[in-house]
Amino acid sequence: MKKVISTLFAVGLLVSLSAQTTLTYKTHGLIPDEKNPMLLTKYVEPGVAGKNVVWDFTALEMTNSFVGNIDQPQRGKSSELFLSSNSVLEEFGNFFYFDVNKNDIKHYGYASGSGNTTIEYRTPFIKMKYPFRYGNSYKGEFDGVYNVRGEHYGDIIGNYSVTADGTGTLILPGGVKYPNALRVKEVKSYTNETKHSTYDIVNETFRWYVNEHRFPILVLIKSTYTDKNGRTSSSTQAAYNPVIITNDLFSFADNNAFEVNVYPNPYVGQVNISFDVEEAAFVNVSVYTAAGTLVAVLANQNEKSGTKEYKFSAKQFGVGTGSYVVKVTVGENTVMEKILEL
């Protein structure tokens, strides 16, 4: 049997976390043409629920990276099967179809990268209801059809519960802290019955959110499978978003004094940084970690007018992959840009 896990690793800029995190369509809905860079890590236990919790995940071990893409549904595989959807999430070459509106996110189905395997939910799974804050919860049932190469292969029927079960401070690698983070616990229990086998599956997912940031910044998933003979197996997934900047050292509010191009971004190995100096001025180009630690000074001198180009590689400066801030000062003007090395 093919095991299909419907995940939503799906993840802007965090400005202030002075109030309780509340998920709404406007701030956290899945909007086409958005990208979600994430770092895969080894799985760790999700910690406790409750108020004023401190979740310390500074020891997360990165294993790989990926980018989730939110797009128009017609750009996904087998989109003709999911006419009720208005958004598709592509991750690892697989496609997850949703209807996103001001009230909720409904999950209508899944298609493999080849399009040979699909799941059509006759009764969709409600991924999120809006608004959603600490203490809120809901539950329901879903069912669907499992298809292989266009033929009915099996059925899926189950139930789910979604609870905002925790709020507090989330700490990620690099010591970056997110106060007032909201943890959402999702449990899906269902039976996957095919022509050849029957499995009972339980997916337990924890996602952490912050204000003014569309996607979760940490996701932990554990799936347990039980066959008809009572034998069990399990799999885990974990990822976090290394891009968000919360440190008060950085202010992106007036980030348009001049244009700084960073490309490609995200990048592997090396990023290019370029900008124009209109007239002779003192130029400083520095790179910082998300926590505000200076990593590299690429330029710190008087420059004549013209186009200036620099390159940055985390490996070159003895630091790991992840998110950084490029700070460019020309005369009295400063521009900052986020970059992500994969």
Side-chain angles (χ1 to χ4, degrees):
M1 183 192 93
K2 296 182 179 178
K3 297 175 182 175
V4 179
I5 303 174
S6 175
T7 64
L8 179 56
F9 276 161
V11 207
L13 174 64
L14 180 61
V15 178
S16 173
L17 291 174
S18 58
Q20 178 185 173
T21 295
T22 300
L23 309 185
T24 69
Y25 166 73
K26 182 177 180 181
T27 58
H28 295 86
L30 299 180
I31 306 299
D33 301 321
E34 291 275 357
K35 291 186 180 297
N36 169 30
M38 297 284 279
L39 295 180
L40 291 170
T41 75
K42 293 184 178 179
Y43 181 83
V44 295
E45 292 301 319
V48 300
K51 242 182 150 177
N52 301 318
V53 179
V54 176
W55 296 287
D56 189 344
F57 294 109
T58 53
L60 283 175
E61 260 185 89
M62 191 189 78
T63 60
N64 212 326
S65 61
F66 75 96
V67 177
N69 298 287
I70 312 295
D71 216 330
Q72 301 291 340
Q74 60 269 25
R75 296 179 182 174
K77 291 285 186 179
S78 305
S79 59
E80 68 278 2
L81 300 177
F82 309 104
L83 299 180
S84 296
S85 66
N86 59 15
S87 183
V88 62
L89 167 67
E90 179 272 321
E91 289 179 342
F92 306 106
N94 299 309
F95 300 88
F96 303 88
Y97 290 87
F98 302 92
D99 173 57
V100 185
N101 59 70
K102 65 180 181 180
N103 297 315
D104 55 35
I105 299 178
K106 297 183 181 73
H107 186 194
Y108 274 99
Y110 158 90
S112 64
S114 65
N116 289 334
T117 302
T118 61
I119 296 175
E120 300 175 62
Y121 291 122
R122 293 169 296 209
T123 303
F125 162 55
I126 308 300
K127 195 75 179 175
M128 180 52 62
K129 286 189 175 182
Y130 299 125
F132 204 66
R133 58 178 62 88
Y134 177 65
N136 289 165
S137 65
Y138 62 92
K139 59 184 178 179
E141 298 178 346
F142 66 98
D143 67 90
V145 178
Y146 194 109
N147 303 307
V148 175
R149 294 183 176 87
E151 295 185 2
H152 180 216
Y153 189 77
D155 295 283
I156 295 174
I157 183 168
N159 57 71
Y160 59 87
S161 65
V162 180
T163 306
D165 75 341
T167 182
T169 300
L170 175 64
I171 310 174
L172 292 181
V176 181
K177 296 182 179 181
Y178 304 98
N180 295 313
L182 176 69
R183 189 176 83 170
V184 176
K185 178 182 179 180
E186 170 193 300
V187 180
K188 293 174 66 179
S189 302
Y190 58 100
T191 299
N192 191 348
E193 185 175 348
T194 73
K195 294 179 179 180
H196 304 292
S197 60
T198 299
Y199 274 78
D200 291 324
I201 303 173
V202 177
N203 289 342
E204 188 176 59
T205 302
F206 292 87
R207 298 183 179 89
W208 282 259
Y209 294 86
V210 293
N211 274 326
E212 300 183 11
H213 180 61
R214 189 163 300 280
F215 306 110
I217 55 175
L218 174 65
V219 183
L220 301 175
I221 300 174
K222 184 174 184 178
S223 301
T224 303
Y225 311 90
T226 305
D227 67 18
K228 61 183 179 181
N229 297 315
R231 293 172 297 196
T232 63
S233 60
S234 63
S235 65
T236 58
Q237 295 174 297
Y240 77 95
N241 179 352
V243 179
I244 309 172
I245 303 301
T246 61
N247 195 287
D248 291 338
L249 293 174
F250 305 123
S251 173
F252 294 82
D254 297 315
N255 205 14
N256 57 0
F258 54 93
E259 184 176 2
V260 175
N261 296 308
V262 288
Y263 59 93
N265 192 28
Y267 64 97
V268 176
Q270 184 172 267
V271 65
N272 300 291
I273 305 162
S274 70
F275 55 92
D276 291 329
V277 175
E278 293 187 356
E279 57 185 34
F282 186 83
V283 172
N284 179 278
V285 181
S286 299
V287 180
Y288 296 82
T289 67
T293 302
L294 179 65
V295 174
V297 177
L298 306 181
N300 190 49
Q301 68 270 333
N302 290 309
E303 292 282 5
K304 297 180 180 179
S305 61
T307 299
K308 309 301 171 185
E309 297 182 350
Y310 303 90
K311 300 181 185 297
F312 173 76
S313 166
K315 182 178 180 180
Q316 178 185 350
F317 290 93
V319 292
T321 56
S323 63
Y324 295 92
V325 176
V326 177
K327 183 177 181 181
V328 179
T329 299
V330 177
E332 297 181 355
N333 296 315
T334 296
V335 170
M336 284 174 280
E337 296 289 345
K338 295 181 296 178
I339 58 175
L340 174 62
E341 183 162 335
L342 303 176

